[in-house]
Amino acid sequence: MDKVFLSVTGLDAERGATTLEADEALVYQKMLKQSKQVIVVADASKLGKVSPAFICPVSEMNILITDTSALPEALVPFERLGIRIVRAKS
């Protein structure tokens, strides 16, 4: 795969991308190993949240797609880590 799109239930700059189900996290982890680019899709309500099942650290992400209601201060930690931010209209 060239690109993998991850839909997450939690995304924290320190704790990484997370989801609710361990099985889902395992599938995502396998997909990440085969991809060249990781694109995470998370609306503003997911930023700063941590769910039980770990998917990957933020260092493995390339792009974060979020909505326009995401506060700039919530995005700064990801930008500092070199992640490209795309704000889509909701």
Side-chain angles (χ1 to χ4, degrees):
M1 291 181 278
D2 288 332
K3 298 177 185 180
V4 64
F5 288 82
L6 298 179
S7 175
V8 300
T9 57
L11 182 61
D12 182 80
E14 292 180 15
R15 309 256 322 262
T18 56
T19 189
L20 294 174
E21 300 294 330
D23 290 345
E24 181 181 12
L26 289 172
V27 170
Y28 277 152
Q29 290 169 1
K30 299 288 184 188
M31 291 169 58
L32 292 174
K33 288 181 181 179
Q34 301 298 318
S35 69
K36 295 177 184 172
Q37 188 176 46
V38 176
I39 303 163
V40 174
V41 181
D43 67 34
S45 70
K46 310 294 192 288
L47 302 177
K49 305 288 190 228
V50 178
S51 294
F54 176 76
I55 299 170
C56 70
V58 173
S59 60
E60 291 185 15
M61 294 172 42
N62 302 106
I63 299 172
L64 167 59
I65 299 175
T66 191
D67 59 344
T68 55
S69 67
L71 298 174
E73 56 267 20
L75 300 174
V76 168
F78 300 100
E79 290 173 326
R80 285 188 181 144
L81 293 168
I83 296 165
R84 183 175 155 225
I85 308 293
V86 175
R87 297 180 83 171
K89 292 182 182 179
S90 45

